[in-house]
Amino acid sequence: MLGAARRQLGSAPMLGQVLRRLRPATSARAYSAAAKEMTVREALNSALDEEMSADPSVFLMGEEVGEYQGAYKITKGLLDKYGPDRVLDTPITEAGFTGIAVGAAYQGLRPVVEFMTFNFSMQAIDHIINSAAKSNYMSAGQINVPIVFRGPNGAAAGVGAQHSQCYAAWYAHVPGLKVLAPYSAEDARGLLKAAIRDPDPVVFLENELLYGESFPISAEVLDSSFSLPIGKAKVEREGKDVTIIAYSKMVGYALQAAEILSKEGISAEVINLRSIRPLDRAAINASVRKTNRLVTVEESFPQHGVGAEICMSVVEESFEYLDAPVERIAGADVPMPYAANLERMAVPQVDDIVRAAKRTCYRSVPMAATA
Amino acid sequence: MASFTAAAKFLAPVAAARSGGDSRAPPPPFPSASLRPRRKPAPSRLRTVLAVSSDVLSGNKSAPAAAAHSAVTREEALELYEDMVLGRIFEDMCAQMYYRGKMFGFVHLYNGQEAVSTGFIKQLNQADCVVSTYRDHVHALSKGVPARSVMAELFGKATGCCRGQGGSMHMFSAPHNLLGGFAFIGEGIPVATGAAFAAKYRHEVLKESGPDGLDVTLAFFGDGTCNNGQFFECLNMAQLWKLPIVFVVENNLWAIGMSHLRATSDPEIYKKGPAFGMPGVHVDGMDVLKVREVAKEAIERARRGEGPTLVECETYRFRGHSLADPDELRKPDEKSHYAARDPITALKKYIIEQNLATESELKSIEKKIDDVVEEAVEFADASPLPPRSQLLENVFSDPKGFGIGPDGKYRCEDPLFTQGTAQV
């Protein structure tokens, strides 16, 4: 039954593409026609390729990463290039193969474990937390675990509750893990390369619906030496009236919201967290001290979430700078429903962000008027 | 493989009997014939060893068959004896120290099972790995971690093998390739399989292996673990990829208070090896010489690249599951039955009967170990507690964590980082 469910998932990229066509706003960004573009999928693939080429101790393992070329084609071409010794198709045994990868990392290899989706990492969470995250501490620094756990995270489309969950807050709760969530192609390349080079376990949360999206990309980012700092956020758009902080796909929504807000005279600053843990408290607080207003956006459940942690960092460091209550936009506090209309209501939408930003600026309109 | 006849029971995988088209006959990974054991396979004179589970199953209370062992030299015998005595005296001391409040939490002692740790681990090289469970003190000692480091760890002192950050159930020692005690059932097996994977990867991809063959990993776990999915997942992958690992089941018959026979549909665990295409061997885990013989063969097999072996060692723990266990479910006659088969007493008897050493020589070994363990306690007691500053250290290998270098800047801002040459 599980197998059938997964096979269904294998066809999900196509579903994702259909959905992307239905979402006109995402392609509305204005980019110079001359700029080179790259999809997130190509960015991830090229990062894996370059790091494998640079360091023979890097290898990939997971379900369908080899002959199938990746359930979402992130590992396309790598089996041909690096052979089955370094691109390992595993049986459907998350606990087993994740633990094996962790053991290999104990011995100095640099495994990149692909979860077909992060939902399946639940079957291996013991190894991510107990075997990977805690070993450096328990061994007093004798055994470090240079490993990357990567795969699509968060809600896809129409796949129901068990396949539609964001694990950012789950993993970000754990000392010993670094948790990254790329948004753009630049993020994906720079952060994945940093994650693979990092000496500690990194949970790398991708988003299925972003895989096919194209982003402009500079020559610097295309350089094989490029990498991004772990623990540092990026100001995606500067503004002065309100700070919107998001990660992964929600950064795109936040940018769209900022565009709408600008037409109504509100200048929103959009921060792309990039790293959920460590959290870039400096960037968060610097922005809030400038705008004095904060909206957090996350796709996952609200309770004990990333938004709550961002808010607390502001309460601790910049409380006196706040001119309005912090607004939290999050997924609905329910398992993901299947029906498309309910699903849409269960995850944040651009309008939600716009409304929240206006509320912080005391320019709110009753929800009924805009809904 | 045929040499496993030395074991009480041996099941060969049936893959060879399958129909043609299965071209799995692997080329020998180490062409040098000198790596093959010179020793002829031991003749199958070791008939039935009293097997605990089969014993319990059949109600057969007959005495064990007269022990017959392949030659063991005086030096080897004394090394084995010393290691087992160390395990026993160390654990007895742990119980004392626990009741005196010197150590805390869960403390699981190894008494009675020493023949397994000694019989297996003493056959390893330094570069070989051991992955253990929460009952890990004696595995650490056998692998060469000094008694004082283990004791200090148990006391929660800064001089412990993990500076007091691991504790009883989490012994690590990188220089000894002791890759940890794992507190959850089944958790250590994939990690051990991963260490074996790394050995093979180093050999085949990085071309790093030494001339002696692959580094071998031993995964220790108990009968209770053999009902856990990770056990089966890893038997499959280890055999699929021919990894240099030996799965060592310490079947002490009890998973805390759950009898093996009440928990397991087919209690003969070694039979599960052939189901995955690997040899399954059953051995009397109360007889260190028999364990040693099986261990040698399984380890050599792994080292030659011929893949994993499942070894079921029938043993018994002389104490409760942990020092907090009232141990009320195991029957007195069962306990006395196994107490009479104490592996240390048995080896002692053998050594004296074979004139390998005198009683007084063995006594002096015991005295020496007494002193070692006394010294370990004194060392641990006198050692400082971890300083307050230690609390936040070692969360990440990256010294300050968070990708920040010693200069306070993000490590990626180091120009070497983006050149891919900085050790980050």
Side-chain angles (χ1 to χ4, degrees), chain A residues 56 58-59 86 93 96 99-100 103-104 126-127 130 136-138 140 142 144 176 197 199-200 225 227 229 231-232 278, chain B residues 161-162 165 170 172-174 184 187 190-191 194 197 201 230 233 237 391 393-394 396-398 410 412-413 417-418 424:
Chain A
V58 177
F59 69 96
R86 296 185 64 197
T93 53
I100 288 175
D126 176 43
H127 286 293
N130 276 315
N136 198 68
Y137 193 84
M138 289 197 300
Q142 294 180 80
N144 69 308
R197 295 177 199 178
D200 293 308
S225 67
S227 83
K232 221 169 179 184
Chain B
C161 60
C162 300
Q165 290 170 212
H170 305 298
F172 293 83
S173 180
F184 289 6
E187 192 182 33
V191 173
F197 175 88
Y201 191 95
Q230 296 190 65
E233 293 184 15
M237 283 184 274
L391 175 66
E393 292 175 0
N394 302 129
F396 291 108
S397 157
D398 197 334
Y410 285 100
C412 57
E413 288 168 359
F417 184 98
T418 49
V424 289

